[in-house]
Amino acid sequence: MTPSAPIVRAPHAVALLLFALVWLSCAWFGSFEFNPNSATRMFGALALVERGEATIDRYQTLTIDKAEFKQGPVTHYYMDKAPGMTLMAAPVVWATNTVTGVRSYDTIIDVTNPRLAEFLRLRQQLAVACSAAILTAFAAVLLLDLGTGITGSPAAGLFAALGYALGSVVWGWSTTLFGHAPVAALFMIATWAIWRGTSGARELARWRYPLMAGAALGWAVTIEFQAALGGLVIGGWALWRSRGAAWPTRRRLYLVAVATALVGVAPMLAYNQFAFGTPFMTGYTGVVGFSGMNQGLFGLTYPKPAALFGITFGVRRGLFWVAPILLLGGVGVVKLVRAPATRDLGILCVAMIVIVLSINASYAYWDGGASVGPRHSVPAIPFLALGLAPFWVALRRPSARSGSAALLGLSMLINLIVAATDIFAPEGMTTPVWSRNILGLLSHGYLNTVPSLYWGLSPWLGLFLYLDLALPMLGLMLWWTRRAERRGSV
């Protein structure tokens, strides 16, 4: 347990503005509603809400991401994903159907039907705004607080938070119903709760921190099964952080955390029971059309060096090509490990980065198919981004800070273009950001914004309207942060 010295907090006004900016940035831009991975989750939500069943038979021709099970002479289809994103989307689908009075059964199920596209797009966008966008924005605020707390610098905390939420592909993946960005956010939420909850005797007595950590880790597994491995590492770190507390206190913390983690996992078990008749069967056992899933454990074998290079420095999917600011984060993680006060946190970051990248490099479809950046590695991003905080405070020369800020600006610009155009890219493209997002979509004005999709404005006007809102918010955050730095306290 760390000493109970006062911890510098990020300015509350900055935290509120950061939440608003990140949420707006994720909710403002849409993604392709017929992408098979997102669509299958939406089809699952529609089946639950409209028919009270888990089968997606009516929609199965619209997605290649599905599971097939024969029940006697009849074949039924299900989504082949963990149910977390579908379960979060279901209340939104129900509310939207209720308000609009329109169901999928009122629409012809045909990929060429524009009414179906509009139907799915609206529900997907609202579901994203109420799930992935909120989680990413909340995690960004907690990363701001964590970065500020370990360095004593609100500017360092903001540098890390912006690098995570808007300077990486977390932004683009937070506009979809994919589970990668929500899992990344939940990992950060749990990490912050454990760090804050073990920072002193007063915090150890508060039940909200273990509740928050347990719920976040449990729900992460409900969204993506492989999150269990990262959750075990974060849980082990919690045991280490709390080792100095008296046993009655630790027992209470552990019971609360485990109980809430089980509550977080329970909906996944209940869904499996409802869909397959047993809580321990998943859609992955019936995946069709992807022979690589038969390798090892649902496609996972062992890390391949070529795949590991491809998801980090490879031109086609490399993380550091679409988020160059994270290179500095890697340097900062080393600084975390070297500093005695943050060594355990630094080791956690290293462990989480290694685990996530190793899982990605072990997967038969490591490149993620139609993807900008390595989508399966997104849960490692908050731990790389956390290193940006110590990296920032280690910079002494104004020119070094200006250069680092410029690199962050470049990363944010790249990911603005990706989020505004399309996070999905054809599998065969060697340089998807340049070939598709910039030269292809952006240059021709193919932008997915709320104003252009729903308000009748032009795509470019929708982008400029976003900038009219986002840039003043960003400028105000920087101004408040600079004032806090000058005061030396918050």
Side-chain angles (χ1 to χ4, degrees), residues 35-84:
N35 175 271
N37 208 308
S38 276
T40 194
R41 290 178 165 95
M42 180 55 66
F43 297 152
L46 290 170
L48 288 173
V49 169
E50 297 182 355
R51 302 284 292 180
E53 59 187 28
T55 58
I56 62 168
D57 297 350
R58 187 164 186 262
Y59 319 100
Q60 63 90 10
T61 58
L62 302 180
T63 178
I64 59 174
D65 285 336
K66 56 194 172 188
E68 178 183 298
F69 293 95
K70 293 186 180 298
Q71 298 175 3
V74 181
T75 299
H76 287 295
Y77 295 90
Y78 301 79
M79 67 170 183
D80 61 344
K81 312 296 177 188

Side-chain angles (χ1 to χ4, degrees), residues 8-17 144-145 148 154-155 477 480-485 487 489-490:
V8 176
R9 305 296 301 270
H12 294 306
V14 174
L16 289 172
L17 264 180
L144 165 70
D145 190 67
T148 301
M477 275 195 300
W480 273 331
T481 302
R482 188 175 182 183
R483 286 184 61 190
E485 288 280 317
R487 288 197 304 267
S489 62
V490 180

Side-chain angles (χ1 to χ4, degrees), residues 9 25 219 240 253:
R9 305 296 301 270
S25 300
W219 191 249
W240 173 262
L253 294 175

Side-chain angles (χ1 to χ4, degrees), residues 378-399:
V378 166
I381 290 177
F383 299 96
L384 276 167
L386 181 58
L388 292 171
F391 181 88
W392 179 264
V393 295
L395 300 175
R396 299 304 178 190
R397 292 182 299 176
S399 60

Side-chain angles (χ1 to χ4, degrees), residues 322-346:
V322 290
I325 190 63
L326 295 181
L327 282 169
L328 306 186
V331 176
V333 169
V334 174
K335 295 182 181 296
L336 284 175
V337 174
R338 289 181 173 177
T342 59
R343 181 164 295 149
D344 65 298
L345 181 58

